[in-house]
C-alpha cells in the first residue's frame, strides 16, 4: 500500500502536538493544552477561554439590534428610523442568544463615537457632519473612550449606569461581554467629558509645532490647517440635508495625520478622513522609539511580559490605553476586540495585554489583523488570544462559495496554520463583510450552511456569528452612507430579519418564515455542538487530498476532515455545491491505525441530525463510506 506523506505528516503533527488543537480539561491554561496547541509556547500563552467549551461569539451592532422601526429611510434621523437601546437586550433576548450557542456577546459600537445628533444639554459637543461618516457615525471613530454612545441609553445622563446594567444582565444570562478598543485612531473631534479625574485627553499635552515627538499622541502637519476632502461621486453629508455645521470646513490647526496614515492636510475622500492617527512611538520614517522586546519573550507568559515593562519608559499613548482598558475591566467587561491591531506595533500589545491579564487572567483579547506573516508575532510576542482568520480560511471558503476557487485551497490554508490554529477566530460574517444571503455574495442563507459548518468545526478556535446571519439576513436597501450587501454601521436603520425574530419584544421568532426558522435551527444545533464537543478541541487530520486522489466522486466542491479526542472520533464532510453529490468517502490506513480500528463494519451517526445514519467498512486497513449529500448539505458523523 502506498504511503501518503501529507496524511502521515498531518497525523504526526497531531500526535506530537505541533498542529493539533489538543484536548482541553476544564481549566484555563493546562500544561497539555499548551503542549498540543503551540509547541514551545510557555504556560499562560494559551487562549484565555480555553476550557471545556470553545468560545462562540455573537456579534451585535448594538444600535441596530433592538430597533423594530421598519421605516428605513435613507439618511433617516432617530425620530424617523428609530434606534436600538441597551434596554432592548432583555433577559429573554439574552437567554435566546445564549440558547443559540453563544458564550460571548460582542457589543459593537458601544463606545461613544462621533455622530450627528444634539446632546449638548448633557455636556456633549456637537460633531461636525463634514467629518462624520453617515448620520449615526462610524463606531470606529471614537469621541470619548470613557463613555458609551448616548444614543443607546434610555436616559443619556445615565448611559454609564445603563451599560453597567447591560453587562450584569449579560452575565446573568451566561454570556461574557466583549467591547471594542480602537487603538490606531480616534475621531477628529475627540473630547472626553466622562474621563476620570486626573486623566488627560489625547493630544492635550502635545507639542504641535513638530510632526513627531515620542510623547505626542498625534502626528501633525505643522504650518498647515486641515481641509475637508473634496467630495466624490456626488456625496453630500447627511444626504444633502441642510445643517449649520455642513460648510465644507472643520477647524483643526495644525492638521493631524489621518487614521489610515495619510499625511496630507487635505486627505482624499477614500481615506479615513473622519479619524486621526495615534502615535505609538513610531517615527515618521518607520523606526521605533521604544524599548524592543527580546525574541525569547515569545516563549514567556504574560507575567514575564508585565515584569519586563514594569520599569520601562514607554510612550504616553501606551499609558493612556492601559488606563482605558483598566477602566472598562472595572465595569465587568470580559475582553476586547482590537480594531486594526496590525497597524500598531507588537511591543505595545505585549505591554497592554500583559497589563490586562495581570488584572483579569481570563480576559479574551482579539486582534483584527490581515497580514499572515505577522500572525505568530502577535500571538507569541503580542500575547493576543485570537486573530482574525480572514485572509486564510474565510477567503478560501468564500472563493468556493462563489465558484471562484477550489476546496483544495482550504486544505492548503489549514496545513499552513496548524501550529497556531487554536488562536485563529473563524467567521463567515461580521460587520465588515458582505452578508452571505446578499445578492452580491451567495444569494441565500442555505448556501452558507456548509461554509459555516466547516468554519465552526475545523479548529478549536472561536467561532463568530454576526446577528441576523443565523436568519439569512440579506442586507438589502440603501441606508445612506452604508450601502446594500453589508448591514450599515453608519446609519440609523433596522434589520428586517431581526425585527421578525424579535416579534414585538417576545424574542421568539414568531414572525420568521419557515426557511428562516430552519436556518436558525441549523445554527443552534451547530453552534451548541461546536461549543461543547470535545473532539472539536482535539486532533485534526485532512481527508481532502486523499479523497481527491482516490475517490472518483469526490471533487473540488467537497471538503472532508477528521477530528478526534480520546475515544471520540468524528468525520466531517461538506458539500458546497447547489446540487446533490453521491460519493464514497475514503478513510486512509494511517488515520485508522491512529484510531486503532480493525477491519470490520462501524456504524456512523449524524451529530446535527439524528436521522442521518451511515456505515464505514474497513477492509485491508482502509475505510470507505457511501454517502449521498443533498445540495449545500454537510455531515458530522460520529464513529460508534
Amino acid at each position: 500500500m502506498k504511503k501518503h506523506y501529507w496524511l502521515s505528516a498531518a497525523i504526526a503533527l497531531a500526535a506530537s502536538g505541533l498542529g493539533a488543537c489538543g484536548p482541553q480539561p476544564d481549566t484555563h491554561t493546562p500544561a497539555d493544552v499548551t503542549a498540543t496547541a503551540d509547541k514551545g509556547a510557555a504556560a499562560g500563552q494559551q487562549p484565555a477561554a480555553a476550557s471545556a467549551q470553545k468560545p462562540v461569539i455573537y456579534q451585535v451592532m448594538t444600535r441596530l439590534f433592538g430597533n423594530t422601526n421598519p421605516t428605513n429611510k435613507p439618511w433617516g434621523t432617530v425620530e424617523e428610523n428609530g434606534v436600538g437601546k441597551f434596554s432592548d437586550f432583555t433577559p429573554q433576548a439574552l437567554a435566546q442568544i445564549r440558547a443559540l450557542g453563544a458564550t460571548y456577546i460582542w457589543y459593537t459600537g458601544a463606545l461613544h463615537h462621533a455622530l450627528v445628533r444634539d446632546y449638548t444639554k448633557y455636556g456633549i459637543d456637537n460633531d461636525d457632519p463634514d467629518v462624520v461618516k453617515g448620520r449615526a457615525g462610524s463606531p470606529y471613530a471614537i469621541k470619548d473612550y470613557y463613555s458609551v454612545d448616548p444614543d443607546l441609553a434610555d436616559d443619556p445622563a445615565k448611559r454609564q449606569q445603563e451599560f453597567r446594567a447591560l453587562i450584569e444582565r449579560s452575565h446573568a444570562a451566561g454570556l461574557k461581554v466583549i467591547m471594542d478598543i480602537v487603538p490606531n485612531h480616534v475621531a477628529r473631534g475627540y473630547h472626553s467629558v466622562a474621563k476620570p479625574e486626573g486623566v488627560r485627553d489625547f493630544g492635550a499635552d502635545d507639542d504641535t509645532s513638530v510632526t513627531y515627538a515620542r510623547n505626542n499622541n498625534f502626528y501633525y502637519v505643522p504650518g498647515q490647517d486641515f481641509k475637508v476632502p473634496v467630495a466624490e461621486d456626488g456625496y453630500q453629508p447627511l444626504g444633502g440635508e441642510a445643517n449649520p455645521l455642513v460648510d465644507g470646513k472643520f477647524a483643526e490647526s495644525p492638521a493631524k495625520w489621518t487614521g489610515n496614515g495619510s499625511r496630507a492636510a487635505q486627505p482624499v475622500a477614500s481615506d479615513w478622513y473622519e479619524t486621526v492617527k495615534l502615535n505609538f512611538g513610531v517615527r515618521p520614517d518607520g523606526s521605533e522609539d521604544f524599548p524592543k522586546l527580546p525574541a525569547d519573550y515569545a516563549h514567556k507568559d504574560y507575567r514575564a511580559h508585565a515584569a519586563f515593562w514594569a520599569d520601562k519608559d514607554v510612550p504616553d499613548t501606551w499609558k493612556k490605553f492601559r488606563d482605558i482598558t483598566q477602566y472598562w475591566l472595572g465595569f465587568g467587561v470580559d475582553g476586547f476586540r482590537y480594531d486594526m491591531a496590525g497597524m500598531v506595533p507588537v511591543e505595545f500589545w505585549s505591554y497592554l495585554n500583559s497589563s490586562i491579564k495581570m488584572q483579569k487572567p481570563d480576559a479574551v483579547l482579539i486582534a483584527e489583523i490581515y497580514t499572515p506573516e505577522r500572525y505568530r508575532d502577535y500571538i507569541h510576542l503580542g500575547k493576543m488570544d485570537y486573530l482574525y482568520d480572514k485572509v486564510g480560511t474565510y477567503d478560501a471558503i468564500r472563493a468556493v462559495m462563489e465558484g471562484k476557487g477550489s476546496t483544495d485551497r482550504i486544505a492548503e490554508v489549514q496545513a499552513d496554520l496548524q501550529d497556531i490554529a487554536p488562536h485563529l477566530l473563524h467567521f463567515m460574517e461580521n460587520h465588515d463583510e458582505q452578508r452571505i444571503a446578499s445578492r452580491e455574495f451567495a444569494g441565500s442563507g442555505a448556501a452558507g450552511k456548509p461554509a459555516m459548518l466547516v468554519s465552526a468545526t475545523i479548529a478549536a478556535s472561536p467561532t463568530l456569528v454576526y446577528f441576523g446571519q443565523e436568519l439569512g439576513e440579506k442586507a438589502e436597501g440603501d441606508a445612506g452612507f452604508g450601502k446594500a450587501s453589508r448591514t450599515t454601521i453608519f446609519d440609523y436603520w433596522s434589520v428586517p430579519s431581526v425585527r421578525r425574530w424579535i416579534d414585538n419584544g417576545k424574542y421568539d421568532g414568531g414572525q420568521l418564515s419557515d426557511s428562516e426558522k430552519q436556518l436558525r435551527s441549523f445554527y443552534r444545533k451547530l453552534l451548541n455542538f461546536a461549543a461543547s464537543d470535545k473532539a472539536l478541541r482535539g486532533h485534526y487530520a485532512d481527508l481532502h487530498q486523499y479523497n481527491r486522489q482516490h475517490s472518483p466522486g469526490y471533487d473540488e466542491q467537497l471538503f472532508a476532515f477528521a477530528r478526534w479526542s480520546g475515544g471520540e472520533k468524528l468525520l466531517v464532510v461538506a458539500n458546497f455545491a447547489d446540487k446533490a453529490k453521491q460519493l464514497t468517502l475514503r478513510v486512509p490506513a494511517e488515520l485508522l491505525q491512529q484510531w486503532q480500528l480493525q477491519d470490520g463494519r462501524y456504524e456512523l451517526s449524524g451529530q446535527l441530525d439524528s436521522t442521518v445514519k451511515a456505515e464505514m467498512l474497513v477492509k485491508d486497513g482502509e475505510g470507505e463510506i457511501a454517502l449521498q449529500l443533498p445540495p449545500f448539505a454537510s455531515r458530522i458523523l460520529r464513529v460508534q
Side-chain angles (χ1 to χ4, degrees):
M1 177 171 31
K2 182 179 178 182
K3 193 143 180 100
H4 299 280
Y5 172 76
W6 57 266
L7 182 74
S8 301
I11 293 177
L13 284 173
S16 70
L18 274 170
C21 312
Q24 301 178 1
D26 192 12
T27 56
H28 289 302
T29 53
D32 59 328
V33 175
T34 302
T36 56
D38 276 301
K39 185 87 167 176
Q45 169 59 35
Q46 286 311 297
S51 68
Q53 284 195 320
K54 86 177 206 165
V56 174
I57 301 168
Y58 192 78
Q59 181 192 3
V60 292
M61 185 63 199
T62 313
R63 82 164 83 99
L64 301 181
F65 174 81
N67 185 16
T68 56
N69 183 327
T71 303
N72 280 358
K73 173 186 174 182
W75 292 100
T77 65
V78 167
E79 290 72 24
E80 292 169 323
N81 284 356
V83 67
K85 302 288 185 179
F86 291 139
S87 57
D88 291 320
F89 293 91
T90 64
Q92 173 68 5
L94 294 167
Q96 289 300 317
I97 293 170
R98 180 69 185 92
L100 186 67
T103 56
Y104 285 81
I105 186 165
W106 167 14
Y107 290 113
T108 304
L111 284 171
H112 186 177
H113 51 271
L115 55 92
V116 183
R117 199 176 182 208
D118 189 348
Y119 284 108
T120 52
K121 70 178 181 180
Y122 301 101
I124 299 170
D125 297 335
N126 283 328
D127 292 303
D128 189 330
D130 288 307
V131 288
V132 176
K133 289 183 177 177
R135 185 186 296 274
S138 167
Y140 295 103
I142 304 303
K143 177 172 180 169
D144 187 346
Y145 257 117
Y146 288 98
S147 181
V148 291
D149 184 357
D151 274 344
L152 303 177
D154 293 318
D155 180 354
K158 297 180 179 178
R159 58 192 182 276
Q160 304 294 82
Q161 297 97 310
E162 291 189 31
F163 184 59
R164 191 186 293 271
L166 173 61
I167 295 172
E168 292 172 354
R169 288 198 304 278
S170 302
H171 288 166
L175 294 164
K176 293 187 176 183
V177 172
I178 294 171
M179 70 183 299
D180 285 287
I181 295 292
V182 187
N184 178 67
H185 50 270
V186 294
R188 288 260 173 214
Y190 186 92
H191 174 56
S192 175
V193 298
K195 60 185 181 293
E197 185 176 352
V199 171
R200 300 286 290 169
D201 259 356
F202 286 105
D205 302 310
D206 281 7
D207 177 358
T208 62
S209 69
V210 296
T211 299
Y212 167 85
R214 185 175 186 268
N215 285 320
N216 276 2
N217 299 133
F218 301 122
Y219 299 92
Y220 294 91
V221 187
Q224 297 187 54
D225 293 343
F226 172 79
K227 294 182 180 179
V228 172
V230 176
E232 297 177 355
D233 301 323
Y235 171 78
Q236 293 179 291
L238 306 182
E241 176 187 301
N243 183 292
L245 292 176
V246 177
D247 56 6
K249 299 177 182 179
F250 177 75
E252 182 181 285
S253 183
K256 302 181 181 78
W257 287 14
T258 294
N260 64 331
S262 171
R263 306 180 184 192
Q266 185 177 29
V268 299
S270 59
D271 287 333
W272 304 350
Y273 64 83
E274 81 280 21
T275 66
V276 289
K277 187 167 179 62
L278 287 163
N279 167 24
F280 285 85
V282 179
R283 301 183 185 94
D285 65 3
S287 61
E288 294 170 332
D289 196 4
F290 47 76
K292 295 296 290 180
L293 197 65
D296 66 340
Y297 272 72
H299 306 296
K300 297 181 185 292
D301 68 10
Y302 67 82
R303 298 175 186 86
H305 282 243
F308 174 85
W309 294 110
D311 61 353
K312 302 296 188 296
D313 180 29
V314 299
D316 182 72
T317 302
W318 293 28
K319 299 172 187 176
K320 280 183 164 59
F321 274 99
R322 177 200 60 198
D323 294 343
I324 288 164
T325 53
Q326 298 293 318
Y327 175 83
W328 290 112
L329 289 174
F331 258 64
V333 168
D334 301 292
F336 303 105
R337 178 268 189 187
Y338 298 128
D339 185 73
M340 297 307 297
M343 297 182 76
V344 178
V346 73
E347 278 82 4
F348 164 73
W349 293 119
S350 164
Y351 168 86
L352 182 68
N353 290 340
S354 62
S355 74
I356 291 170
K357 295 287 190 180
M358 290 299 290
Q359 179 171 339
K360 186 175 178 61
D362 63 346
V364 62
L365 307 173
I366 302 169
E368 180 189 18
I369 182 170
Y370 303 111
T371 48
E373 65 274 14
R374 302 168 70 202
Y375 283 178
R376 289 159 182 84
D377 280 349
Y378 274 68
I379 293 166
H380 301 308
L381 290 172
K383 295 301 162 195
M384 292 294 182
D385 291 318
Y386 306 116
L387 312 180
Y388 269 37
D389 190 4
K390 195 275 184 191
V391 175
T393 299
Y394 172 89
D395 283 353
I397 293 176
R398 175 166 180 148
V400 177
M401 296 172 69
E402 294 184 301
K404 298 177 180 178
S406 164
T407 47
D408 296 347
R409 179 58 185 156
I410 304 175
E412 293 168 1
V413 167
Q414 299 314 305
D416 290 343
L417 298 176
Q418 275 303 292
D419 64 309
I420 56 171
H423 295 276
L424 298 176
L425 174 69
H426 286 177
F427 54 82
M428 288 310 303
E429 283 189 11
N430 62 43
H431 66 279
D432 285 322
E433 307 301 338
Q434 290 177 315
R435 292 286 195 174
I436 292 169
S438 68
R439 289 190 298 269
E440 294 81 355
F441 187 177
S444 76
K449 290 167 71 174
M452 194 62 202
L453 185 135
V454 170
S455 176
T457 62
I458 202 166
S461 56
T463 295
L464 182 144
V465 175
Y466 192 38
F467 80 121
Q469 176 184 345
E470 74 278 18
L471 306 173
E473 172 56 36
K474 295 180 180 296
E476 296 173 321
D478 183 345
F481 193 91
K483 305 304 179 185
S485 81
R486 293 174 179 84
T487 296
T488 178
I489 64 171
F490 305 103
D491 308 286
Y492 295 115
W493 200 250
S494 65
V495 182
S497 62
V498 177
R499 293 200 312 262
R500 293 191 289 274
W501 175 72
I502 290 175
D503 189 22
N504 297 315
K506 294 194 286 290
Y507 299 95
D508 62 358
Q511 297 180 28
L512 295 177
S513 67
D514 288 343
S515 62
E516 288 172 329
K517 290 177 181 177
Q518 290 166 8
L519 186 63
R520 192 175 192 278
S521 176
F522 165 81
Y523 272 84
R524 179 179 55 78
K525 292 175 184 177
L526 173 62
L527 296 177
N528 279 282
F529 182 79
S532 60
D533 188 82
K534 67 179 182 180
L536 299 182
R537 300 186 306 281
H539 304 293
Y540 168 88
D542 170 39
L543 300 180
H544 177 77
Q545 297 181 61
Y546 183 84
N547 278 274
R548 287 281 275 152
Q549 296 172 20
H550 298 282
S551 178
Y554 185 99
D555 61 24
E556 63 181 7
Q557 292 181 302
L558 295 166
F559 189 72
F561 55 92
R563 302 299 310 276
W564 73 98
S565 176
E568 185 174 350
K569 307 170 184 68
L570 299 178
L571 297 165
V572 181
V573 58
N575 176 19
F576 285 86
D578 60 0
K579 60 183 179 181
K581 298 277 186 175
Q582 189 166 343
L583 69 144
T584 298
L585 184 70
R586 301 190 184 279
V587 183
E590 291 91 340
L591 179 58
L592 295 176
Q593 290 168 9
Q594 181 82 8
W595 284 359
Q596 299 181 354
L597 296 184
Q598 306 300 316
D599 283 7
R601 296 181 182 275
Y602 296 86
E603 291 184 2
L604 308 177
S605 59
Q607 298 305 286
L608 302 187
D609 183 348
S610 60
T611 66
V612 170
K613 304 292 181 184
E615 181 181 77
M616 177 169 64
L617 172 64
V618 179
K619 184 178 180 181
D620 297 330
E622 295 189 334
E624 59 179 45
I625 307 158
L627 292 173
Q628 183 154 349
L629 298 176
F632 302 128
S634 304
R635 298 286 184 258
I636 301 177
L637 301 170
R638 186 187 305 275
V639 181
Q640 299 298 319

